Amino acid sequence: MTSPLCISFKSSLRCGYKTAVVFVSAVFLVVGCGGGESNDGNEVPVNAYCNPVANWSEEWMEWEARMLKLMNEARASGAVCGTEEFGSAGSLEISPELRCAARAHSKDMAERDYFGHHSPEGEGPTERFQKAGWSGRSWGENIVAGGGSADGQFDMWMNSPGHCANIMNPSFTQVGIGYYSTTSSYGDYTTAGFGAP
């Protein structure tokens, strides 16, 4: 089974399908900007956009926490992303706003059975981050579906140069991770929104 991967950063979007030996990518144009602070596993802003993702299942929050742990372990160790070498970087802190936007996007993709940085109506990361109340100077977004576990999805990201670069980017100090599971095409959907306040 193939599992899709997409990355959005700076001013580009790359999507592809990854199997054990194949990665194909296409490039599309996106623009964006994007803030927050550390908190518990379920905090999101209280507003109409975030309210539907405020009460997350314990299992889903554990998936999100595992993904954050893996990201911060990789950042502490440094990594090579394709041909780009990254030294160690500080830990990412959870932003409630980015968490809201990530959860809302994973939920939307799973419930409506699509995969991409933009909804079928064209709403992208910039609009989601703004609806969640996040503002900052730069952002990046990774999405993944399938993979079977947080570790499996994380490995897919780290084996993709652009996704890996978002995780390792020392300019990003904040992250919001949203996991959603359903019986749609890929089952497990995870979105990670990265930000520099």
Side-chain angles (χ1 to χ4, degrees):
M1 176 181 194
T2 60
S3 297
L5 293 164
C6 273
I7 178 174
S8 181
F9 62 99
K10 298 180 185 166
S11 62
S12 67
L13 170 66
R14 296 185 184 147
C15 297
Y17 287 85
K18 182 184 184 307
T19 64
V21 293
V22 179
F23 178 76
V24 179
S25 67
V27 179
F28 304 91
L29 181 63
V30 168
V31 293
C33 287
E37 49 193 69
S38 184
N39 62 74
D40 73 25
N42 207 30
E43 185 180 343
V44 296
V46 178
N47 63 42
Y49 182 70
C50 297
N51 290 345
V53 298
N55 296 312
W56 230 226
S57 85
E58 196 67 36
E59 178 183 346
W60 295 356
M61 288 189 296
E62 288 173 10
W63 186 293
E64 294 168 356
R66 175 68 181 157
M67 192 69 80
L68 176 64
K69 182 177 189 295
L70 292 167
M71 287 179 186
N72 282 334
E73 286 174 353
R75 287 171 66 91
S77 298
V80 176
C81 303
T83 59
E84 189 173 3
E85 189 169 338
F86 289 85
S88 63
S91 294
L92 293 165
E93 293 185 6
I94 291 293
S95 158
E97 296 83 6
L98 291 174
R99 174 188 283 144
C100 163
R103 285 180 176 177
H105 190 52
S106 290
K107 181 178 188 288
D108 191 52
M109 286 190 296
E111 289 182 348
R112 298 201 297 157
D113 202 17
Y114 73 92
F115 184 79
H117 286 279
H118 288 84
S119 72
E121 297 76 30
E123 180 180 274
T126 300
E127 294 84 7
R128 290 192 301 275
F129 295 165
Q130 288 172 347
K131 285 182 178 181
W134 192 85
S135 62
R137 58 188 165 86
S138 65
W139 61 264
E141 181 179 77
N142 288 359
I143 60 175
V144 64
S149 68
D151 290 64
Q153 289 186 340
F154 181 76
D155 288 346
M156 291 166 63
W157 279 342
M158 291 304 287
N159 288 314
S160 168
H163 296 91
C164 177
N166 264 355
I167 292 166
M168 298 305 298
N169 186 336
S171 297
F172 294 146
T173 60
Q174 301 175 330
V175 69
I177 302 165
Y179 169 75
Y180 196 86
S181 182
T182 185
T183 57
S184 65
S185 296
Y186 296 103
D188 300 314
Y189 292 77
T190 301
T191 302
F194 302 91

